[in-house]
Amino acid sequence: MLKAARRRISRLDRTLIVAIVLLTSVFPVELFPNAPPIPKGSDGQYSGKQGQVLVVKVPLSDRVTEVKGTFLDRTIPFFREMRPGEPAGYLGLVGIDMQDAPGTYELTIAIKNGEEVKHLSFNVLVAKEQFTVEHLKLPKDKVDLDEKSLARWKKEQEQLRLALAENSALRLWHSHFVEPVNGKRTGIFGSVRIMNGQPRNPHNGEDIGAPLGTDVAATNDGVVRITVDHFFSGKGVIVDHGLGFYSMYFHLSEISVNDGDLVKAGQVIGKVGATGRATGPHLHWGVKLNGARVNPYTLLELPFKNGFTAGATVATPSVEQIPSPERPVKE
Ligand SMILES: [Zn+2]
């Protein structure tokens, strides 16, 4: 009886937490009337948590030469979006990196039309996400790298950096994103990692546990930027969806696409494996948006399907599934 009551309360708690998160996203200032005034960009304000994606719309009835945003030294290309029953305009997806420090930052948008340039200024409130702390035990040689492995890792990091550096001009993605593997999501995006007792880089994606050989699908249309076989991430595919949006799929047992291939949303690009540094078969799914590492699951929640909601913040969906202890899936 007591147990059932407790379960009910915890469910209620969770509902309240979700409600508060949603409220703070929409009304960040009004909720705390006694808080010191926050400087306002003259054109308004957005707010979101570390790892989330903000959808920003600039209503413009006419086509212009270019609409480009700048946020924390990242360039955000805007694209023309026409939806029946809505004012025409330009849309931009602003990613908040999982390690952007909480605070208020300016998002500027330059609207260029021929020689004429007009600027808009918004404030973006970045709120702290409560990331978990994970303790992992791994083979010593996968944590304390010898000189050769360290040199290899550095080279691979550079290869990845170059592959993700550009904002391809063509938008290939569309509004329907696909979950690449139907498996057990671990909910450890952004988690602080302590490996064999030593603090390491936070986890920059989401892990999905699934049996070895399970199909892995591309989350949206794109072009395969590179396929890799790296020390930590194992066999991997990086898909360029255009306008600086990249998705990554790591630890694969098999890769079934080649560099430069065009892929469709839902198309199989490889199979789940445990290559690289992994404690069991799983997919590591990562997303980079104009240089920001965001929670890939925010893509599935983008408010595009039933019409666009201007000013929406995409809250990270709650994790219902906890990884099974008998099959830890990490890295
Ligand atoms: Zn991972």
PDB file of all heavy atoms in Angstrom, residues 115-131:
ATOM      1  N   GLU A 115      22.329  44.951 -50.930  1.00  0.00           N
ATOM      2  CA  GLU A 115      23.377  45.672 -50.198  1.00  0.00           C
ATOM      3  C   GLU A 115      22.952  45.983 -48.768  1.00  0.00           C
ATOM      4  O   GLU A 115      23.770  46.315 -47.918  1.00  0.00           O
ATOM      5  CB  GLU A 115      23.689  47.001 -50.923  1.00  0.00           C
ATOM      6  CG  GLU A 115      24.341  46.826 -52.286  1.00  0.00           C
ATOM      7  CD  GLU A 115      25.711  46.159 -52.206  1.00  0.00           C
ATOM      8  OE1 GLU A 115      26.614  46.757 -51.603  1.00  0.00           O
ATOM      9  OE2 GLU A 115      25.847  45.021 -52.718  1.00  0.00           O
ATOM     10  N   GLU A 116      21.656  45.876 -48.545  1.00  0.00           N
ATOM     11  CA  GLU A 116      21.096  46.300 -47.265  1.00  0.00           C
ATOM     12  C   GLU A 116      21.201  45.194 -46.214  1.00  0.00           C
ATOM     13  O   GLU A 116      20.894  44.030 -46.500  1.00  0.00           O
ATOM     14  CB  GLU A 116      19.621  46.624 -47.511  1.00  0.00           C
ATOM     15  CG  GLU A 116      18.991  47.554 -46.509  1.00  0.00           C
ATOM     16  CD  GLU A 116      17.501  47.705 -46.815  1.00  0.00           C
ATOM     17  OE1 GLU A 116      17.173  47.989 -47.994  1.00  0.00           O
ATOM     18  OE2 GLU A 116      16.701  47.504 -45.888  1.00  0.00           O
ATOM     19  N   VAL A 117      21.638  45.545 -44.995  1.00  0.00           N
ATOM     20  CA  VAL A 117      21.707  44.549 -43.922  1.00  0.00           C
ATOM     21  C   VAL A 117      20.983  45.081 -42.689  1.00  0.00           C
ATOM     22  O   VAL A 117      21.217  46.216 -42.253  1.00  0.00           O
ATOM     23  CB  VAL A 117      23.170  44.213 -43.533  1.00  0.00           C
ATOM     24  CG1 VAL A 117      23.191  43.087 -42.493  1.00  0.00           C
ATOM     25  CG2 VAL A 117      23.983  43.813 -44.745  1.00  0.00           C
ATOM     26  N   LYS A 118      20.083  44.294 -42.156  1.00  0.00           N
ATOM     27  CA  LYS A 118      19.354  44.657 -40.947  1.00  0.00           C
ATOM     28  C   LYS A 118      19.709  43.649 -39.858  1.00  0.00           C
ATOM     29  O   LYS A 118      19.885  42.468 -40.144  1.00  0.00           O
ATOM     30  CB  LYS A 118      17.855  44.576 -41.270  1.00  0.00           C
ATOM     31  CG  LYS A 118      16.973  45.282 -40.278  1.00  0.00           C
ATOM     32  CD  LYS A 118      15.505  45.089 -40.643  1.00  0.00           C
ATOM     33  CE  LYS A 118      14.719  44.964 -39.346  1.00  0.00           C
ATOM     34  NZ  LYS A 118      13.465  44.284 -39.492  1.00  0.00           N
ATOM     35  N   HIS A 119      19.844  44.118 -38.608  1.00  0.00           N
ATOM     36  CA  HIS A 119      20.214  43.199 -37.521  1.00  0.00           C
ATOM     37  C   HIS A 119      19.108  43.058 -36.495  1.00  0.00           C
ATOM     38  O   HIS A 119      18.435  44.032 -36.157  1.00  0.00           O
ATOM     39  CB  HIS A 119      21.489  43.697 -36.823  1.00  0.00           C
ATOM     40  CG  HIS A 119      22.720  43.484 -37.644  1.00  0.00           C
ATOM     41  ND1 HIS A 119      23.246  44.467 -38.446  1.00  0.00           N
ATOM     42  CD2 HIS A 119      23.498  42.389 -37.817  1.00  0.00           C
ATOM     43  CE1 HIS A 119      24.310  43.991 -39.071  1.00  0.00           C
ATOM     44  NE2 HIS A 119      24.487  42.727 -38.711  1.00  0.00           N
ATOM     45  N   LEU A 120      18.947  41.849 -36.004  1.00  0.00           N
ATOM     46  CA  LEU A 120      18.046  41.596 -34.875  1.00  0.00           C
ATOM     47  C   LEU A 120      18.901  41.093 -33.719  1.00  0.00           C
ATOM     48  O   LEU A 120      19.927  40.456 -33.932  1.00  0.00           O
ATOM     49  CB  LEU A 120      17.011  40.524 -35.236  1.00  0.00           C
ATOM     50  CG  LEU A 120      16.033  40.817 -36.367  1.00  0.00           C
ATOM     51  CD1 LEU A 120      15.181  39.586 -36.653  1.00  0.00           C
ATOM     52  CD2 LEU A 120      15.142  41.999 -36.009  1.00  0.00           C
ATOM     53  N   SER A 121      18.458  41.378 -32.490  1.00  0.00           N
ATOM     54  CA  SER A 121      19.216  40.926 -31.326  1.00  0.00           C
ATOM     55  C   SER A 121      18.292  40.267 -30.304  1.00  0.00           C
ATOM     56  O   SER A 121      17.273  40.836 -29.915  1.00  0.00           O
ATOM     57  CB  SER A 121      19.933  42.124 -30.705  1.00  0.00           C
ATOM     58  OG  SER A 121      20.352  41.805 -29.396  1.00  0.00           O
ATOM     59  N   PHE A 122      18.628  39.082 -29.918  1.00  0.00           N
ATOM     60  CA  PHE A 122      17.844  38.355 -28.907  1.00  0.00           C
ATOM     61  C   PHE A 122      18.755  37.964 -27.746  1.00  0.00           C
ATOM     62  O   PHE A 122      19.951  37.750 -27.934  1.00  0.00           O
ATOM     63  CB  PHE A 122      17.268  37.055 -29.504  1.00  0.00           C
ATOM     64  CG  PHE A 122      16.289  37.273 -30.608  1.00  0.00           C
ATOM     65  CD1 PHE A 122      16.729  37.391 -31.925  1.00  0.00           C
ATOM     66  CD2 PHE A 122      14.934  37.364 -30.345  1.00  0.00           C
ATOM     67  CE1 PHE A 122      15.825  37.598 -32.959  1.00  0.00           C
ATOM     68  CE2 PHE A 122      14.027  37.560 -31.370  1.00  0.00           C
ATOM     69  CZ  PHE A 122      14.479  37.686 -32.686  1.00  0.00           C
ATOM     70  N   ASN A 123      18.171  37.861 -26.566  1.00  0.00           N
ATOM     71  CA  ASN A 123      18.907  37.271 -25.453  1.00  0.00           C
ATOM     72  C   ASN A 123      18.565  35.802 -25.357  1.00  0.00           C
ATOM     73  O   ASN A 123      17.402  35.425 -25.490  1.00  0.00           O
ATOM     74  CB  ASN A 123      18.551  37.965 -24.144  1.00  0.00           C
ATOM     75  CG  ASN A 123      19.412  39.177 -23.943  1.00  0.00           C
ATOM     76  OD1 ASN A 123      20.598  39.154 -24.255  1.00  0.00           O
ATOM     77  ND2 ASN A 123      18.826  40.248 -23.447  1.00  0.00           N
ATOM     78  N   VAL A 124      19.572  35.006 -25.124  1.00  0.00           N
ATOM     79  CA  VAL A 124      19.344  33.572 -24.928  1.00  0.00           C
ATOM     80  C   VAL A 124      19.815  33.207 -23.526  1.00  0.00           C
ATOM     81  O   VAL A 124      20.978  33.403 -23.181  1.00  0.00           O
ATOM     82  CB  VAL A 124      20.092  32.723 -25.979  1.00  0.00           C
ATOM     83  CG1 VAL A 124      19.892  31.237 -25.716  1.00  0.00           C
ATOM     84  CG2 VAL A 124      19.627  33.085 -27.384  1.00  0.00           C
ATOM     85  N   LEU A 125      18.876  32.733 -22.731  1.00  0.00           N
ATOM     86  CA  LEU A 125      19.219  32.289 -21.379  1.00  0.00           C
ATOM     87  C   LEU A 125      19.578  30.815 -21.438  1.00  0.00           C
ATOM     88  O   LEU A 125      18.760  29.991 -21.834  1.00  0.00           O
ATOM     89  CB  LEU A 125      18.014  32.443 -20.447  1.00  0.00           C
ATOM     90  CG  LEU A 125      17.812  33.792 -19.788  1.00  0.00           C
ATOM     91  CD1 LEU A 125      17.081  34.725 -20.721  1.00  0.00           C
ATOM     92  CD2 LEU A 125      17.010  33.611 -18.522  1.00  0.00           C
ATOM     93  N   VAL A 126      20.811  30.503 -21.059  1.00  0.00           N
ATOM     94  CA  VAL A 126      21.240  29.105 -21.019  1.00  0.00           C
ATOM     95  C   VAL A 126      21.152  28.621 -19.572  1.00  0.00           C
ATOM     96  O   VAL A 126      21.787  29.185 -18.687  1.00  0.00           O
ATOM     97  CB  VAL A 126      22.681  28.943 -21.555  1.00  0.00           C
ATOM     98  CG1 VAL A 126      23.177  27.512 -21.360  1.00  0.00           C
ATOM     99  CG2 VAL A 126      22.744  29.335 -23.026  1.00  0.00           C
ATOM    100  N   ALA A 127      20.326  27.612 -19.368  1.00  0.00           N
ATOM    101  CA  ALA A 127      20.150  27.072 -18.016  1.00  0.00           C
ATOM    102  C   ALA A 127      20.939  25.779 -17.867  1.00  0.00           C
ATOM    103  O   ALA A 127      21.189  25.070 -18.849  1.00  0.00           O
ATOM    104  CB  ALA A 127      18.673  26.815 -17.754  1.00  0.00           C
ATOM    105  N   LYS A 128      21.312  25.492 -16.638  1.00  0.00           N
ATOM    106  CA  LYS A 128      22.117  24.300 -16.361  1.00  0.00           C
ATOM    107  C   LYS A 128      21.265  23.041 -16.446  1.00  0.00           C
ATOM    108  O   LYS A 128      20.136  23.019 -15.981  1.00  0.00           O
ATOM    109  CB  LYS A 128      22.708  24.423 -14.953  1.00  0.00           C
ATOM    110  CG  LYS A 128      23.784  23.421 -14.676  1.00  0.00           C
ATOM    111  CD  LYS A 128      24.525  23.757 -13.386  1.00  0.00           C
ATOM    112  CE  LYS A 128      25.472  22.631 -13.014  1.00  0.00           C
ATOM    113  NZ  LYS A 128      26.339  22.200 -14.123  1.00  0.00           N
ATOM    114  N   GLU A 129      21.800  22.027 -17.085  1.00  0.00           N
ATOM    115  CA  GLU A 129      21.144  20.715 -17.088  1.00  0.00           C
ATOM    116  C   GLU A 129      21.791  19.874 -15.996  1.00  0.00           C
ATOM    117  O   GLU A 129      22.997  19.976 -15.766  1.00  0.00           O
ATOM    118  CB  GLU A 129      21.346  20.057 -18.471  1.00  0.00           C
ATOM    119  CG  GLU A 129      20.742  18.680 -18.625  1.00  0.00           C
ATOM    120  CD  GLU A 129      19.240  18.634 -18.423  1.00  0.00           C
ATOM    121  OE1 GLU A 129      18.807  18.624 -17.253  1.00  0.00           O
ATOM    122  OE2 GLU A 129      18.503  18.621 -19.425  1.00  0.00           O
ATOM    123  N   GLN A 130      20.995  19.078 -15.298  1.00  0.00           N
ATOM    124  CA  GLN A 130      21.564  18.209 -14.258  1.00  0.00           C
ATOM    125  C   GLN A 130      22.049  16.911 -14.890  1.00  0.00           C
ATOM    126  O   GLN A 130      21.289  15.961 -15.029  1.00  0.00           O
ATOM    127  CB  GLN A 130      20.493  17.903 -13.192  1.00  0.00           C
ATOM    128  CG  GLN A 130      20.187  19.068 -12.263  1.00  0.00           C
ATOM    129  CD  GLN A 130      21.420  19.584 -11.516  1.00  0.00           C
ATOM    130  OE1 GLN A 130      22.328  18.834 -11.190  1.00  0.00           O
ATOM    131  NE2 GLN A 130      21.449  20.888 -11.278  1.00  0.00           N
ATOM    132  N   PHE A 131      23.306  16.895 -15.289  1.00  0.00           N
ATOM    133  CA  PHE A 131      23.854  15.683 -15.894  1.00  0.00           C
ATOM    134  C   PHE A 131      24.268  14.700 -14.798  1.00  0.00           C
ATOM    135  O   PHE A 131      24.689  15.109 -13.722  1.00  0.00           O
ATOM    136  CB  PHE A 131      25.069  16.026 -16.768  1.00  0.00           C
ATOM    137  CG  PHE A 131      24.724  16.861 -17.962  1.00  0.00           C
ATOM    138  CD1 PHE A 131      25.344  18.085 -18.176  1.00  0.00           C
ATOM    139  CD2 PHE A 131      23.781  16.427 -18.889  1.00  0.00           C
ATOM    140  CE1 PHE A 131      25.040  18.858 -19.286  1.00  0.00           C
ATOM    141  CE2 PHE A 131      23.470  17.199 -20.004  1.00  0.00           C
ATOM    142  CZ  PHE A 131      24.101  18.414 -20.199  1.00  0.00           C
TER     143      PHE A 131
END
